[in-house]
Amino acid sequence: QVQLVESGGGLVQAGGSLRLSCAASGRTFSTMAWFRQAPRKEREFVAFIRWIGGDTYYADSVKGRFTISNDRAKNTLFLQMNSLKPEDTAVYYCAASPPKYGISYSVAARYDYWGQGTQVTVSS
């Protein structure tokens, strides 16, 4: 059974940092990503990583502040979030899928597996 379990969320002041983790079990994946969903907003893409090769992509809103990485030995995905802003407040989800073609890495429908989410709240 495939499971993705996020951790590391919390409350932080603007300008602070948090590191999210997503532990995957049941299988390994070639592509993983982070999405977030704020209240009354649609789920939006944050960052993507190709497991082998390490290609990464970011939403413009987080570029230069967030870093996605992985630990292949531990089958774990990370999101280092620095210089946090109140507008980063959301539930953050990790997502995973096998390789897919014809659908962008930034589209939620690409991903077959999702974690339960972890709340990140940034106070001003």
Side-chain angles (χ1 to χ4, degrees):
Q1 183 180 358
V2 174
Q3 273 195 314
L4 301 177
V5 180
E6 300 102 333
S7 61
L11 173 64
V12 64
Q13 287 189 329
S17 298
L18 283 174
R19 189 191 195 207
L20 305 184
S21 299
C22 173
S25 60
R27 63 167 288 175
T28 57
F29 297 96
S30 58
T31 59
M32 293 188 75
W34 288 98
F35 285 75
R36 66 186 182 187
Q37 188 165 16
R40 299 174 298 281
K41 291 189 176 181
E42 292 188 356
R43 191 167 297 191
E44 66 172 356
F45 168 75
V46 175
F48 166 91
I49 188 166
R50 204 177 309 278
W51 214 245
I52 298 177
D55 297 343
T56 58
Y57 302 96
Y58 297 92
D60 287 343
S61 59
V62 307
K63 205 172 292 183
R65 299 187 298 122
F66 291 10
T67 302
I68 189 171
S69 63
N70 61 355
D71 182 329
R72 293 174 58 188
K74 296 182 178 179
N75 209 20
T76 300
L77 180 71
F78 302 102
L79 185 68
Q80 177 66 43
M81 305 186 295
N82 298 328
S83 303
L84 283 161
K85 305 175 181 180
E87 51 263 45
D88 295 318
T89 295
V91 177
Y92 283 70
Y93 299 90
C94 66
S97 75
K100 290 186 179 179
Y101 304 94
I103 182 168
S104 171
Y105 56 82
S106 64
V107 175
R110 173 195 176 110
Y111 300 92
D112 300 322
Y113 302 97
W114 293 83
Q116 83 287 352
T118 185
Q119 177 70 46
V120 171
T121 303
V122 184
S123 64
S124 56

